[in-house]
Amino acid sequence: LKNKNDFILFKRQRMNFFTSPTEFSKHIEEIVRDTKLTYMEAVLKYCSDNFLEPDDIKKMLSKPLIEKIKNDMVADNMIPKPDSIDCI
């Protein structure tokens, strides 16, 4: 890539590779299945491999994929369980 405009065009082409969030989610599912990464790790790997920032692909995250990412984060104690009540 020769200049910044070439890089921006390259990023746009990588983002437009998938025609829908469902198609993108299927690709992430394949990464998870093939590598045993969590869903968040798979999304970040996709971004890293394609020179994208996570913010670049946020429109491609389907609701089911977001839920899977949240479930992984809850399982890894990265975020609290949704409806958990702290005992005093």
Side-chain angles (χ1 to χ4, degrees), residues 18-76:
F18 299 101
T19 59
S20 70
T22 302
E23 195 175 307
F24 179 75
S25 294
K26 287 179 183 177
H27 182 71
I28 296 300
E29 292 274 352
E30 289 175 15
I31 294 173
V32 170
R33 184 183 63 241
D34 295 345
T35 64
K36 307 295 186 216
L37 294 173
T38 66
Y39 286 92
M40 176 63 84
E41 292 167 336
V43 168
L44 294 175
K45 178 179 179 3
Y46 176 83
C47 289
S48 176
D49 290 351
N50 291 283
F51 306 100
L52 298 169
E53 295 294 325
D55 198 45
D56 294 333
I57 54 95
K58 66 184 176 186
K59 291 181 181 177
M60 295 306 289
L61 298 176
S62 67
K63 288 183 182 186
L65 180 57
I66 291 169
E67 284 303 311
K68 289 175 182 179
I69 291 169
K70 285 181 185 178
N71 290 339
D72 280 349
M73 293 177 79
V74 167
D76 290 343

Side-chain angles (χ1 to χ4, degrees), residues 1 4-6 10 19 22 53 66 68 78 88:
L1 302 175
K4 186 176 179 178
N5 289 335
D6 288 343
F10 175 76
T19 59
T22 302
E53 295 294 325
I66 291 169
K68 289 175 182 179
M78 296 173 76
I88 299 176

